[in-house]
Amino acid sequence: MSDQVGALYPPTKLDIHIEQALLGALLLEPTQIDQVRSWLEADDFARPAHQEVYKALLAHADARSAGHADPAEHAAVAVLKRLQHVPNLTGGYLHDLMAACPINAHPVSYALLVVEADTRRALIAHTARLADLIDQHARGESSDVDHVALMFSVNEHVKNVITRLAARLNVTDLAAVPLPEPASPTAPPVTAPAHLDQQDQLLAALIADPRRIPEVRTLLDPQDFTDPTRARLFALLTAMTDNGQVIDQVTVMAHAYDTGILTPDQSGVTWFQQRFTTPTSAAPWSLQLAQQVQESSAYAVAATAVSRITATLARPGLDTRQVLAVAARELTALTARQPHHVQPVYEPPHAADSAASNEAPPMRL
């Protein structure tokens, strides 16, 4: 899953061309930098060499304002002098930047496009962190509550990042942004056999000792069961408890037939007996099993959220505000599935909050 998200990270050729056009406009008309400098940051540029050119343009503007710049010197020449530390950045490349600008009076429009592209990269980078935790769980590398807590901490951190990214685009309420129509129905997540076993063990324990049902239902609801049939069985058990009905293997099977959960044939009986016949001694572990089911459900919801965010990022033609709105909705839904026994651990802020990556790639043109 993290590989799928990461594949979206590299800037497109169009992203690079827009950056070139913006820098070209500022080289041709240096005074225009005052229109963007208050909100355009060097880290918004995907190409490190472009970050350096923008910093040099800012420094040149400051020198000009302070009366320390030669008014007769062309901006490109002055900027090039400030770029001696950047390997392979020549006057020829600055000329290419100016040639890439079709109309030098449009720097604000170009800068907005640069910010939007960086916003998407930032969302991809942070979503990849969440995807990596889900991948670790899928590989069996996470088996404790702390890992679940870390996932929810990262989730809250990414939600905060999304809020800040939206503010840069002048969006104060992402919930008010119209969501795009789904490109295609999202396939339900595939539940690992081990997670189905957890659900089976819990249901078997509750059938064996129905006195545990009121306690367990304070922790779980049917949505915590990733398999629809098992979710309906849990709902049936709680309904039978509310109605004061006798609960054992025979009565539950009968009611499951009546409500259409099980098919009225031998295969249905065999399926039920194979999964929900358990020694009574397993019942005291019902709370622990409930927690495990809840954790597995949380990972499943997280996987669905990352999948939908990734699919939205990959769709052409969507406004960046819509992409952020989808991400905010999905991660809010994940917050709602946080297990009761999990307390998020502290997640320190990262340098990537205002940029797309913690680690700068090698300097390149």
Side-chain angles (χ1 to χ4, degrees):
M1 181 165 287
S2 58
D3 289 342
Q4 294 174 358
V5 180
L8 299 172
Y9 180 80
T12 66
K13 290 184 178 180
L14 178 59
D15 293 338
I16 298 302
H17 182 70
I18 292 170
E19 291 184 5
Q20 292 172 328
L22 169 59
L23 294 173
L26 298 179
L27 286 167
L28 290 167
E29 295 289 344
T31 58
Q32 295 184 123
I33 200 168
D34 293 333
Q35 300 177 36
V36 300
R37 67 177 302 165
S38 64
W39 49 272
L40 179 66
E41 302 171 2
D43 286 343
D44 292 330
F45 291 87
R47 182 168 281 183
H50 292 172
Q51 297 175 11
E52 296 299 325
V53 173
Y54 183 65
K55 291 176 184 177
L57 281 163
L58 290 173
H60 175 62
D62 292 339
R64 189 180 63 247
S65 298
H68 299 154
D70 182 356
E73 186 177 46
H74 193 280
V77 176
V79 167
L80 184 61
K81 292 178 180 179
R82 299 177 183 274
L83 295 172
Q84 300 302 312
H85 64 288
V86 182
N88 303 320
L89 210 162
T90 65
Y93 187 69
L94 296 186
H95 182 271
D96 291 342
L97 293 178
M98 291 184 282
C101 177
I103 301 179
N104 58 20
H106 294 167
V108 173
S109 297
Y110 301 156
L112 285 171
L113 292 173
V114 169
V115 170
E116 289 195 11
D118 184 66
T119 296
R120 288 175 178 253
R121 289 193 300 274
L123 178 58
I124 291 167
H126 287 283
T127 302
R129 295 179 60 216
L130 190 58
D132 186 57
L133 291 173
I134 297 169
D135 286 345
Q136 290 177 27
H137 175 70
R139 293 192 298 265
E141 298 173 8
S142 63
S143 58
D144 54 25
V145 176
D146 285 345
H147 191 274
V148 186
L150 178 58
M151 183 183 72
F152 278 97
S153 295
V154 170
N155 180 57
E156 290 304 310
H157 182 69
V158 179
K159 284 167 58 181
N160 291 333
V161 169
I162 289 172
T163 299
R164 291 194 288 273
L165 292 173
R168 293 200 69 195
L169 299 176
N170 295 321
V171 180
T172 57
D173 184 11
L174 281 171
V177 176
L179 296 174
E181 291 293 329
S184 59
T186 303
V190 177
T191 305
H195 301 161
L196 292 178
D197 288 342
Q198 290 174 351
Q199 297 172 43
D200 290 347
Q201 292 174 37
L202 175 61
L203 291 170
L206 296 179
I207 293 171
D209 187 357
R211 294 171 300 175
R212 297 280 181 170
I213 294 175
E215 189 175 19
V216 169
R217 74 187 302 182
T218 63
L219 299 177
L220 296 180
D221 59 48
Q223 285 183 300
D224 287 311
F225 290 80
T226 54
D227 175 72
T229 299
R230 291 162 175 84
R232 292 178 66 189
L233 280 172
F234 181 73
L236 174 63
L237 290 175
T238 58
M240 292 178 68
T241 299
D242 291 341
N243 296 330
Q245 295 171 305
V246 172
I247 293 177
D248 61 25
Q249 294 173 23
V250 174
T251 59
V252 172
M253 268 197 295
H255 283 85
Y257 287 145
D258 292 341
T259 55
I261 299 174
L262 298 180
T263 56
D265 53 30
Q266 187 59 39
S267 64
V269 173
T270 302
W271 181 87
F272 187 94
Q273 290 178 335
Q274 286 177 342
R275 285 162 178 78
F276 308 119
T277 300
T278 185
T280 306
S281 59
W285 298 99
S286 55
L287 289 182
Q288 181 181 357
L289 287 168
Q291 292 178 351
Q292 293 172 354
V293 167
Q294 207 170 35
E295 291 171 13
S296 296
S297 172
Y299 280 111
V301 173
T304 298
V306 169
S307 177
R308 289 175 177 169
I309 294 171
T310 304
T312 303
L313 282 162
R315 285 179 62 182
L318 288 186
D319 186 274
T320 303
R321 295 155 187 81
Q322 289 181 300
V323 176
L324 290 176
V326 169
R329 179 194 62 183
E330 295 298 329
L331 299 184
T332 298
L334 175 55
T335 297
R337 306 312 300 174
Q338 180 177 318
H340 297 279
H341 64 286
V342 171
Q343 295 298 322
V345 297
Y346 173 66
E347 174 70 7
H350 290 261
D353 290 359
S354 61
S357 174
N358 286 327
E359 298 181 5
M363 190 69 69
R364 63 194 187 282
L365 295 179

